[in-house]
């Protein structure tokens, strides 16, 4: 699969794209576009990739993705047969017509927030609650109300000062599609085949490079080694399986591509600081204090 540069989804009468989307399955190419993207999940769970960051997404997640920053949200049809993904996506650029809106002195702080979004921003539950109603209204708003609501949302994101940077500062943000197809082909292959035995020789063939050249290429683009990236994908998937079901840990180990339970436990603890069983127990204790359903 090659990277698909996604052009603007705005219509000719609006500079802001805002839509509530219901889908049983989401996923596809690891892609980027010129717009900022604010995505809010009211329902759903799966794997999230933003730049060189890999983790799980769940209901209530609110993320702001910067311009040109590659990203991907994906769930698995087989494990989520009866779950519909319900999310709001908002896209906008700095330019509204011929005006760089965020160059105005009154919006200089929001401009700084958008600069941080170059690494992707994950917001807290408290922040999500503060913009929940505005995001719902934005999907139905028209004309000037869209701009007013967008600025109100961005202001609340700014003043919350409670967010987490996702991608590393050294991640290379692609500016041209042609030069990055190889990287995206590799990322998509890993995301789809993580459960298989993927060796350096195998992935180098996918990239049509020699193993040494591929190692240099991948480290330069992602600031991570191939083996580290592959293990991140596998551990992320393992976390999803641990919290979504009751499959034995040994089965999960093999389902996500590890050939040894000892290696799986050691790798999991290196990434998460705790064992898989403790991770599952901690989550079970946490959900006893579930937050109210979003609507």
């Amino acid at each position: 699969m090659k990277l698909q540069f996604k052009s603007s989804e705005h219509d000719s009468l609006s500079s802001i794209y805002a839509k509530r989307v219901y889908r049983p399955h989401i996923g596809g190419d690891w892609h980027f576009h010129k717009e900022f993207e604010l995505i809010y999940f009211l329902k759903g769970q799966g794997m999230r990739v933003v730049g060189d960051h890999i983790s799980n997404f769940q209901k209530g997640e609110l993320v702001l993705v910067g311009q040109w920053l590659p990203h991907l949200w994906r769930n698995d049809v087989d494990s989520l047969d009866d779950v519909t993904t319900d999310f709001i996506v908002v896209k906008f650029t700095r330019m509204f017509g011929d005006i760089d809106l965020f160059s105005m002195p009154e919006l200089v702080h929001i401009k700084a927030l958008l600069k941080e979004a170059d690494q992707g921003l994950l917001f807290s539950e408290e922040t999500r609650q503060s913009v929940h109603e505005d995001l719902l209204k934005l999907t139905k708003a028209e004309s000037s109300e869209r701009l007013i609501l967008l600025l109100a949302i961005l202001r609340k994101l700014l003043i919350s000062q409670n967010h987490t940077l996702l991608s590393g500062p050294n991640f290379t943000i692609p500016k041209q599609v042609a030069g990055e197809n190889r990287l995206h082909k590799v990322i998509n292959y890993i995301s789809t085949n993580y459960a298989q035995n993927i060796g350096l020789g195998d992935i180098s063939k996918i990239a049509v490079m020699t193993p040494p050249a591929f190692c240099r290429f991948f480290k330069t683009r992602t600031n991570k080694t191939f083996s580290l990236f592959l293990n991140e994908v596998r551990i992320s998937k393992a976390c999803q399986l641990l919290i979504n079901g009751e499959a034995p840990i040994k089965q999960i180990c093999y389902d996500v591509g590890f050939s040894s339970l000892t290696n799986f436990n050691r790798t999991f603890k290196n990434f998460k600081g705790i064992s898989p069983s403790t991770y599952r127990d901690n989550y079970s204790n946490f959900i006893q204090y579930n937050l109210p359903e979003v609507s």
Side-chain angles (χ1 to χ4, degrees), residues 132-148:
H132 174 76
E133 292 298 331
D134 285 339
L135 283 167
L136 291 175
K137 291 178 183 177
L138 182 57
T139 62
K140 300 178 181 179
E142 297 180 358
S143 190
S144 60
E145 187 183 5
R146 279 195 170 195
L147 178 57
I148 293 169

Side-chain angles (χ1 to χ4, degrees), residues 90-143:
V90 180
K91 294 183 181 181
F92 60 95
T93 66
R94 297 179 185 274
M95 303 302 294
F96 286 71
D98 296 327
I99 300 173
D100 182 353
L101 183 67
F102 302 106
S103 67
M104 297 175 61
E106 292 83 358
L107 300 179
V108 64
H109 296 300
I110 291 179
K111 183 178 181 179
L113 177 75
L114 297 179
K115 177 61 177 175
E116 282 193 279
D118 284 347
Q119 291 177 244
L121 303 177
L122 173 65
F123 294 94
S124 68
E125 167 64 17
E126 180 182 3
T127 303
R128 189 271 290 175
Q129 290 181 344
S130 73
V131 299
H132 174 76
E133 292 298 331
D134 285 339
L135 283 167
L136 291 175
K137 291 178 183 177
L138 182 57
T139 62
K140 300 178 181 179
E142 297 180 358
S143 190

Side-chain angles (χ1 to χ4, degrees), residues 267-280:
T267 304
F268 193 98
K269 191 169 185 178
N270 287 340
F271 277 94
K272 299 298 180 180
I274 55 178
S275 68
S277 58
T278 302
Y279 182 91
R280 172 176 271 171

Side-chain angles (χ1 to χ4, degrees), residues 5-166:
F5 175 81
K6 294 197 173 180
S7 58
S8 173
E9 297 181 77
H10 303 162
D11 60 46
S12 60
L13 300 178
S14 178
S15 300
I16 303 166
Y17 174 89
K19 187 175 182 180
R20 186 168 181 175
V21 181
Y22 303 88
R23 290 181 187 167
H25 173 64
I26 57 174
D29 284 326
W30 195 54
H31 66 278
F32 63 88
H33 41 68
K34 70 177 182 179
E35 297 94 355
F36 294 95
E37 180 174 311
L38 183 63
I39 187 164
Y40 172 41
F41 283 91
L42 294 97
K43 188 176 183 181
Q45 55 193 8
M47 183 175 72
R48 170 191 357 108
V49 183
V50 177
D52 61 9
H53 175 90
I54 300 176
S55 189
N56 302 309
F57 76 86
Q58 298 184 47
K59 179 186 72 176
E61 173 164 302
L62 178 66
V63 173
L64 178 61
V65 178
Q67 293 178 300
W68 312 112
L69 179 61
H71 55 280
L72 166 70
W73 275 261
R74 171 180 286 163
N75 61 14
D76 300 310
V77 176
D78 293 341
S79 61
L80 300 172
D81 286 338
D82 59 348
V83 176
T84 297
T85 304
D86 176 7
F87 62 96
I88 292 172
V89 59
V90 180
K91 294 183 181 181
F92 60 95
T93 66
R94 297 179 185 274
M95 303 302 294
F96 286 71
D98 296 327
I99 300 173
D100 182 353
L101 183 67
F102 302 106
S103 67
M104 297 175 61
E106 292 83 358
L107 300 179
V108 64
H109 296 300
I110 291 179
K111 183 178 181 179
L113 177 75
L114 297 179
K115 177 61 177 175
E116 282 193 279
D118 284 347
Q119 291 177 244
L121 303 177
L122 173 65
F123 294 94
S124 68
E125 167 64 17
E126 180 182 3
T127 303
R128 189 271 290 175
Q129 290 181 344
S130 73
V131 299
H132 174 76
E133 292 298 331
D134 285 339
L135 283 167
L136 291 175
K137 291 178 183 177
L138 182 57
T139 62
K140 300 178 181 179
E142 297 180 358
S143 190
S144 60
E145 187 183 5
R146 279 195 170 195
L147 178 57
I148 293 169
L149 284 168
L150 176 63
L151 292 177
I153 290 166
L154 292 176
R155 181 177 180 276
K156 289 177 180 179
L157 298 183
L158 172 68
I159 64 177
S160 74
Q161 296 185 342
N162 192 357
H163 56 256
T164 301
L165 294 172
L166 295 178

Side-chain angles (χ1 to χ4, degrees), residues 211-227:
F214 172 77
C215 288
R216 291 192 298 271
F217 165 80
F218 195 82
K219 184 68 181 291
T220 299
R221 292 300 195 281
T222 67
N223 201 38
K224 296 184 180 184
T225 64
F226 159 67
S227 60

